[in-house]
Amino acid sequence: MEEIKPSYKAFWTVTKVLKTEGYTPIPPLKRPDDSFALDDAEVAECLADSIETQCSHTSPPHDPAHISGIKEEVLQKTSLESQDDLTPVSLREIQMLVRSLKTRKAPGLDGFRKPRDLPASDRPISLLSGLAKLSERVLKTRLSDHLLGKGLIIDEQFGFRPAHSCPQQVLRVVEYTSESFKNKQKTVAVFFD
């Protein structure tokens, strides 16, 4: 510590760590055999194996009738005659979206408490440039307006929709469950994340 000068990057790293309340160092990653990955190559290999496992498609097949019904509905809705009724992106639209972008936003802790020594606790992230974020926002806004305007999103879809919050969904579940209890029926719920 005595040899580190303020011009060294390590100085600021150590300073930040000392100033951060509740800082806990990241432990070495644990492999499936309970050994530890210590050097950079071992850590990279451990993370790659974990991501490969998380992204492999080994789940059992789903209900074929349900999948068939969804395919039919998608085919029916996508077979509608194409209409080129989208207006070009305007300067005003871009300015509005630029103002709505969050400034000084950087990736950080997401608040989830997972064991820090397990590779499955890490997940890949993608950091987009400002231009890519803006393009994404234009596309999302346009797509949402189109799908909602044409009634192509079912009312039960709550994710990423205005005026559809998590507490509202919880209230719906409570209401359905309460109604079932009153009618002496069983309630079954399946949650996907």
Side-chain angles (χ1 to χ4, degrees):
M1 276 298 283
E2 291 174 357
E3 294 176 8
I4 296 177
K5 296 184 169 96
S7 60
Y8 294 146
K9 184 179 177 187
F11 176 82
W12 297 108
T13 304
V14 171
T15 304
K16 186 176 180 182
V17 167
L18 293 174
K19 285 176 59 179
T20 305
E21 211 173 289
Y23 172 79
T24 51
I26 298 172
L29 290 179
K30 215 184 270 184
R31 293 186 183 112
D33 64 359
D34 284 339
S35 66
F36 291 98
L38 299 173
D39 66 27
D40 289 346
E42 290 176 352
V43 169
E45 190 63 37
C46 194
L47 289 171
D49 291 344
S50 174
I51 292 169
E52 181 180 8
T53 302
Q54 292 175 49
C55 297
S56 65
H57 299 286
T58 56
S59 0
H62 302 289
D63 177 21
H66 181 68
I67 292 172
S68 177
I70 290 173
K71 282 182 181 177
E72 285 178 29
E73 187 175 348
V74 168
L75 283 173
Q76 186 267 329
K77 291 189 177 192
T78 56
S79 67
L80 298 173
E81 192 170 318
S82 175
Q83 296 177 352
D84 192 13
D85 58 351
L86 291 177
T87 56
V89 178
S90 68
L91 177 61
R92 186 174 182 278
E93 183 180 7
I94 294 292
Q95 288 171 333
M96 219 168 57
L97 291 172
V98 166
R99 282 190 208 106
S100 73
L101 289 174
K102 293 179 180 158
T103 57
R104 300 176 51 143
K105 187 174 179 190
L109 295 175
D110 59 10
F112 290 103
R113 296 281 175 246
K114 291 184 178 180
R116 297 175 79 187
D117 62 342
L118 298 178
S121 297
D122 288 313
R123 56 181 182 227
I125 61 168
S126 173
L127 301 178
L128 298 176
S129 68
L131 187 58
K133 286 180 183 180
L134 185 59
S135 300
E136 194 177 67
R137 185 71 61 96
V138 168
L139 182 61
K140 184 226 177 258
T141 304
R142 292 285 185 103
L143 193 55
S144 293
D145 291 348
H146 175 76
L147 294 173
L148 292 170
K150 303 272 186 190
L152 298 173
I153 296 180
I154 60 173
D155 196 44
E156 289 79 14
Q157 169 64 38
F158 268 56
F160 307 104
R161 288 188 65 192
H164 285 70
S165 67
C166 189
Q168 288 174 315
Q169 274 292 51
V170 171
L171 179 60
R172 287 181 64 204
V173 170
V174 170
E175 285 176 348
Y176 286 143
T177 306
S178 298
E179 193 64 32
S180 293
F181 279 130
K182 285 180 197 172
N183 296 328
K184 298 190 185 324
Q185 297 173 323
K186 293 181 181 176
T187 301
V188 177
V190 178
F191 297 94
F192 292 99
D193 183 14

